[in-house]
Amino acid sequence: MIEVKVTRLKREAEGILGVELQAADGARLAGFEPGAHIDVYLADGLTRQYSLCNDASETNRYCLGVGLAAVSRGGSHYLHMSLREGDALTISEPRTLFRLSRDATCHRFIAGGIGITPILSMIRWCVRHSIPWQLHYCVRSRMCAAYLDELSAFSDCVHVHANDEWGGQAADIQTLVSDVKMGEHIYCCGPAGLMDAVSRHGQQSGIPRENLHFERFTAPPTQISDNSDRPFTVVLAKQGLRCAVKPTESILESLERQGVSPPFSCREGLCRSCEVEVLSGEVEHRDYVLSEEEQVAGKSLMICVSRAKSDELVIDL
Ligand code: FES
């Protein structure tokens, strides 16, 4: 955990708060990769993930963009309404689940709203290393588009689609991915509908799955709980414990109920911090972070959301 202080707050666009953090003791901060995010630990045990949007070569600060969620579960509302310059916060080291591919010959970014934040640090890296890129930035209106001033310096590469300039029409994703070249990778962060459309049209256009990259910060509500689940037993190999997992609880909740406290953060299958190795048994993966190949391999699972298909699952805990 890192203790930081809020050194700058700035309204970046309608509903988007820019937050600059520096180490509380003035020390250098850990480096990060473009696309990385940090956990921010808030009161009442709330943990929220926010992407870093500044230049990844900077070690004196982390910059976040916080979108005010339409239905806030506490995190974004608190940061927008109560955070002040000079406040102290506790954060995690940066983690990277959304990274630029070294194999790509060029990068195509598709950002929806606050999804611009991880992509902005990727763009800064591309500019610094003279890697070809283009951005399609999809917003309701330019009033809601953060960092437009900075992006205007790259007008040849930046295409803004503001729905209100097209009679309320959202961007045509099929067209956005129809001319992707061999070796070009697509990176998408934004609302679930946008990411689903990019995934669907990207695959229909013949883009290999490994060339499509997504960053999710919220799980679709229907995936968070499912009343049709069946019970199973999870065996903790190292601790020699057997725990019954009820249909209404996750493995993580079952372990907590029995006094075991494995690490976790998002509890929605988005951050990978609860990942545990599977020693035997068949997994029903419900996370958003493992690749298709990793899910098929079944060597690990996110215990906050994934379940067992078999009656028993032995895990390395
Ligand atoms: S706690 Fe984030 S994936 Fe499980």
Side-chain angles (χ1 to χ4, degrees), residues 84-315:
R84 298 287 178 265
E85 290 182 0
D87 281 358
L89 282 176
T90 303
I91 62 171
S92 70
E93 298 257 332
R95 279 204 306 274
T96 315
L97 300 175
F98 185 52
R99 51 169 54 88
L100 289 167
S101 166
R102 290 176 190 271
D103 300 329
T105 51
C106 51
H107 304 297
R108 182 172 304 208
F109 302 113
I110 302 176
I114 190 63
I116 189 66
T117 50
I119 284 173
L120 192 56
S121 74
M122 291 172 151
I123 288 174
R124 296 186 201 283
W125 191 92
C126 289
V127 170
R128 178 180 285 274
H129 293 88
S130 304
I131 306 286
W133 61 278
Q134 60 173 284
L135 167 68
H136 296 275
Y137 191 6
C138 308
V139 288
R140 289 199 313 276
S141 75
R142 285 176 194 261
M143 300 282 287
C144 309
Y147 312 109
L148 267 191
D149 284 355
E150 282 183 71
L151 290 167
S152 66
F154 312 108
S155 54
D156 288 353
C157 306
V158 175
H159 312 279
V160 177
H161 181 100
N163 295 359
D164 65 349
E165 295 168 8
W166 292 85
Q169 286 291 309
D172 178 355
I173 302 302
Q174 188 172 7
T175 304
L176 291 193
V177 301
S178 61
D179 61 342
V180 169
K181 299 174 214 61
M182 183 86 87
E184 185 171 6
H185 283 228
I186 292 184
Y187 305 82
C188 181
C189 183
L194 174 73
M195 292 195 287
D196 292 344
V198 170
S199 175
R200 189 171 61 251
H201 290 299
Q203 289 177 56
Q204 284 169 0
S205 303
I207 301 168
R209 274 175 194 260
E210 61 271 24
N211 292 12
L212 294 166
H213 309 266
F214 299 93
E215 174 84 320
R216 286 182 191 268
F217 279 106
T218 52
T222 52
Q223 295 292 309
I224 294 172
S225 67
D226 181 343
N227 293 330
S228 63
D229 291 329
R230 53 187 283 279
F232 58 94
T233 301
V234 66
V235 180
L236 311 194
K238 284 186 187 139
Q239 303 189 34
L241 263 180
R242 295 177 68 83
C243 302
V245 182
K246 298 178 194 169
T248 51
E249 67 185 353
S250 65
I251 297 175
L252 177 59
E253 287 165 343
S254 163
L255 299 186
E256 288 173 334
R257 184 165 53 77
Q258 300 185 56
V260 182
S261 306
F264 67 86
S265 177
C266 71
R267 301 180 82 102
E268 293 185 60
L270 298 160
C271 74
R272 214 163 178 155
S273 55
C274 68
E275 183 171 9
V276 173
E277 191 182 339
V278 176
L279 301 177
S280 71
E282 206 183 341
V283 180
E284 183 186 329
H285 293 285
R286 293 186 180 179
D287 66 88
Y288 302 95
V289 285
L290 290 177
S291 66
E292 199 169 284
E293 292 72 28
E294 288 173 315
Q295 291 199 347
V296 170
K299 294 206 165 118
S300 69
L301 87 164
M302 304 306 137
I303 57 171
C304 63
V305 289
S306 296
R307 306 184 66 81
K309 281 186 190 162
S310 46
D311 292 337
E312 190 173 285
L313 199 61
V314 184
I315 60 175

Side-chain angles (χ1 to χ4, degrees), residues 1-4 21 23 29-32 36-42 46-52 61-62 64 89-97 217 264-266 271 273:
M1 293 205 188
I2 310 171
E3 303 302 325
V4 293
L21 305 172
L29 293 163
F32 66 95
H37 70 270
I38 55 170
D39 292 342
V40 177
Y41 304 108
L42 301 169
L46 272 186
T47 304
R48 292 289 178 264
Q49 289 77 43
Y50 295 104
S51 294
L52 299 175
R61 64 177 186 157
Y62 293 147
L64 324 173
L89 282 176
T90 303
I91 62 171
S92 70
E93 298 257 332
R95 279 204 306 274
T96 315
L97 300 175
F217 279 106
F264 67 86
S265 177
C266 71
C271 74
S273 55

